[in-house]
Every structure is written in C-alpha cells, then in structure tokens.
Amino acid sequence: MPLLAFETSCDETSASVVHHGEVLSNVVSSQAQLHAEYGGVVPELAARQHLRNLIPVATSALRQARIEPARLEAVAATRGPGLPSALMVGLKAAQTMAFRLRCRFIGIHHHEAHLYSPWTKGDPLRSDFSDFQPNVSLIVSGGHTMLVHVPNDLEHRLLGSTVDDAAGECFDKAGKLMGLPYPAGPEIDRLAEGGNPDAFDFPRPMIEEAQDDFSFSGLKTSVRYFLRDHPDVLNDPARIRDLCASVQAAIVEVLVTKTVRAAKRLRVGCVTASGGVTCNRALRSELSTACRRGGLQLRLAEQMLCTDNAAMIGLLAERKLHSKAAGADLDADILPSWSLE
Ligand code: KG4
Ligand code: ZN
C-alpha cells in the first residue's frame, strides 16, 4: 500500500506519495524567494511558511497520485537533522495523520535519504537497488558536506565532513560577497559557464590531506580579500564570469579529488553524489571525468532529487518499513542534530 512522506527540514515544504519504490507524486514548494531578501534562511519564517504550505502541498501530492488518505500504509517525515521549528511542522503533521489513520509513522534521517537518492532514476522515478554496489558517497548541500562509505545497502559509515562551512554555504557566501541573490550556488553555476576557471587562483583547502574532512571557510575568506583588493572586477561582466568560474573550480576540485581518493583507498567500484550542490554542472562533469579515468562507476542523483524533496524521504521510509529496520513512535521527537552515525 502507498506511503505519504513530508520533508520540512529547511526551506522546502515537500510531500510525496510512493508505492513499491515508485514516486507517484513529489510536490515541492520552495521558500527561496521568501528568504532571499535576508540573504539566508530565517528559521522562524521558514517554520511559519511550512505551516501555511504543508496542507496544500500534501493535498496536491495525494491528488496527483490519485490516492485516498485511507489507503495509506504509513506516513513518514524527516526527523532530523535540520532547523528545529521547521522539522516540528512536518513531524507533527505526519504523526497526527498516522494517529488519525491508525497507520505506521516512520521518522527518517535527512542525510540518509540524500545518500540513497542516486539509486532512483527514470520517468516515472523509481528506486532500483538490484545492481547495488559498495560505494563512496558524496553528500553536498547548503548545510553539510560529507563523505560516506556504503559497504552494503542500508549500512554506512561516515568518513569525513566539513570542519566549518559546507560547500553549498561557500557557494552562497562567496556569491553574497559578489552581490548575487540567495541562494547564489545556481547563479554562480550559470555565470561560470562563460568564464575562465584558471583566471584567478583560489586555495583548494585540505585537498592534500589524507583524512576525508573538508574546510571551505578559508576559500570564502580568500574571495573576500580578493574583492577587497580588486573591487573593479565587479564592474566588468566578463571578469565576474571569470571569478565565478575560478571559485567554482576550486570548490569542485576539492570535492572531486577527495571523493575519488576515498573510493580508491576503500577499493569500492562505485561513487555516488547527492544534495543540492550536485545540481552544479561543473561538479557533475568533473566527477564523471575523474570516475571514468579511475575506472569507477558514477551514480549522480537526478537533478530534481538533488535539492530537498519528500520523494527521497518516502522511498527510504518504504524500504525501512518493509525491511522492518526502523520506525518510530507517534510521540517521537525531532532530532535537529541527528548524526549520520
Ligand atoms: O540540499 P539542499 O537543497 O538544501 C540543504 O539541505 O542545504 O542544498 C541547497 C544548496 C544551496 O547552498 C545552493 O546554493 C546549492 O545547494 N546549489 C548549488 C546549485 N544548485 C543548488 N550550488 C552550486 N551549483 C548549483 N547549480
Ligand atoms: Zn538536504
């Protein structure tokens, strides 16, 4: 029977209906415009917007899937990590619905859902783990940058994460310094297309270090010093494109080098990547080139599943439901700092 899932951990309100690994609907209402004027996500505003959006979003997810609520086998929601007040909206709505419908509630780890999203492909979107391979997985979003070893399906070990800013945060903060609107990642991606990635030399933090952690705040600071010393760059559209391409190249080179190195060290044959920054075209193409050269299979999350969405929550919840691996009580609380370990 079908399952309804909610995702409200940050600034996307999303609801999805999944059934037997297939995405029947995936409705996402982004709050990006609401937060743009503040240059970042304002938690209180995000929570209030989730309260406004959740019922309309859930209604259209059920309608698009042509599923009556009474048919649902379970209701799932992101339990963490994320913004506490935002998480509470989706979690409590899911628990209340499960209580009313007398069905199961499943609480899902947001990053575990990202982790398995590269295994969902096609139109309609469908999860397929029949050719699962042990892999190293890169999760890159606005709040997190992680490398994870996945030796078996539904079994993972965190290898490293960022010690300061996440890669998406670095894109957003560097873009803010250039005067680009929030979130600046997609805008840098667009402007970088016509630019020269070798025009300006930015640091590649921790690229040579053997461990799998990342650090991006130094790179952001070097963009700040660069603009202090060369303010004229922002008056020239061609040099803005060069700047975007150069900053993007530095971030992408660190992500690709460390991911491929970890995959080789752990002797896996596959690399996967997910999270909002995986939308970045340079990251997708550089990772493809590096994996091809290294004899590694690459699985990138589909663009529509890179940014936050409830389909990935529902698909993982359905697998947990059927594997009896996990669930949660109707009074389970949010876990805003839930570790992937
Ligand atoms: O996974 P996500 O939707 O939300 C979080 O869980 O954080 O990721 C959002 C992040 C933002 O930092 C945004 O700038 C970045 O993903 N992003 C991109 C691109 N599209 C989204 N960064 C670089 N290039 C893109 N095309
Ligand atoms: Zn996310």
Side-chain angles (χ1 to χ4, degrees):
M1 289 201 297
L3 178 150
L4 172 69
F6 296 141
E7 154 62 38
T8 63
S9 66
C10 190
D11 61 344
E12 262 96 25
T13 315
S14 181
S16 167
V17 179
V18 301
H19 192 202
H20 289 319
E22 188 175 318
V23 179
L24 302 186
S25 64
N26 182 35
V27 179
V28 183
S29 167
S30 172
Q31 304 178 7
Q33 262 189 320
L34 174 75
H35 300 285
E37 79 175 272
Y38 303 95
V41 178
V42 183
E44 181 66 18
L45 283 184
R48 283 167 187 243
Q49 196 63 11
H50 286 311
L51 281 175
R52 272 184 217 111
N53 286 346
L54 195 66
I55 301 294
V57 163
T59 306
S60 50
L62 287 163
R63 194 176 295 139
Q64 280 180 27
R66 298 174 194 275
I67 295 293
E68 291 296 325
R71 280 189 57 205
L72 295 172
E73 181 176 8
V75 187
T78 306
R79 203 175 163 194
L83 302 171
S85 51
L87 286 169
M88 249 180 253
V89 178
L91 185 96
K92 283 298 142 193
Q95 287 171 331
T96 308
M97 238 181 125
F99 173 73
R100 173 69 182 82
L101 297 169
R102 295 168 194 262
C103 66
R104 292 269 308 272
F105 162 75
I106 317 243
I108 289 295
H109 191 294
H110 182 84
H111 296 137
E112 192 181 0
H114 273 304
L115 182 69
Y116 292 106
S117 61
W119 301 90
T120 303
K121 299 276 171 193
D123 185 15
L125 288 165
R126 172 181 279 286
S127 278
D128 184 0
F129 292 87
S130 57
D131 54 354
F132 175 87
Q133 287 197 53
N135 62 77
V136 160
S137 188
L138 174 69
I139 308 176
V140 259
S141 70
H144 295 84
T145 300
M146 297 178 210
L147 270 179
V148 185
H149 181 207
V150 191
N152 294 299
D153 188 16
L154 294 176
E155 193 186 312
H156 49 258
R157 184 171 63 91
L158 184 63
L159 297 169
S161 57
T162 181
V163 297
D164 42 51
D165 290 354
E169 207 173 347
C170 185
F171 269 110
D172 294 340
K173 289 179 175 172
K176 194 173 180 181
L177 293 168
M178 297 177 211
L180 300 177
Y182 171 85
E187 195 61 11
I188 291 184
D189 184 349
R190 193 180 65 78
L191 290 167
E193 193 165 20
N196 173 9
D198 301 318
F200 308 114
D201 191 19
F202 288 105
R204 271 72 170 153
M206 296 179 85
I207 198 165
E208 299 297 346
E209 290 189 24
Q211 89 259 38
D212 298 312
D213 286 333
F214 299 90
S215 163
F216 288 105
S217 77
L219 173 53
K220 168 199 66 191
T221 306
S222 69
V223 174
R224 172 174 292 129
Y225 289 148
F226 175 85
L227 287 169
R228 181 195 64 190
D229 299 339
H230 307 87
D232 49 307
V233 165
L234 295 182
N235 300 324
D236 180 346
R239 294 182 82 202
I240 292 177
R241 284 196 289 275
D242 287 345
L243 177 59
C244 288
S246 302
V247 172
Q248 176 176 273
I251 298 172
V252 166
E253 192 180 331
V254 173
L255 295 174
V256 171
T257 305
K258 300 200 78 155
T259 304
V260 170
R261 190 193 296 148
K264 293 255 171 80
R265 191 185 71 237
L266 291 159
R267 297 177 193 279
V268 295
C270 178
V271 161
T272 77
S274 60
V277 180
T278 308
C279 289
N280 185 270
R281 288 170 296 173
L283 177 61
R284 294 177 89 86
S285 93
E286 293 296 317
L287 210 44
S288 305
T289 307
C291 286
R292 200 176 329 113
R293 283 202 191 118
L296 295 159
Q297 190 201 87
L298 175 65
R299 273 186 171 262
L300 295 166
E302 297 277 354
Q303 294 265 357
M304 65 177 300
L305 295 181
C306 285
T307 44
D308 289 346
N309 64 87
M312 66 179 187
I313 304 296
L315 291 169
L316 179 59
E318 194 182 38
R319 293 200 310 133
K320 297 223 163 189
L321 185 73
H322 293 146
S323 73
K324 309 245 183 291
D329 297 330
L330 283 184
D331 58 355
D333 206 350
I334 54 165
L335 297 170
S337 309
W338 198 0
S339 153
L340 193 61
E341 303 274 39

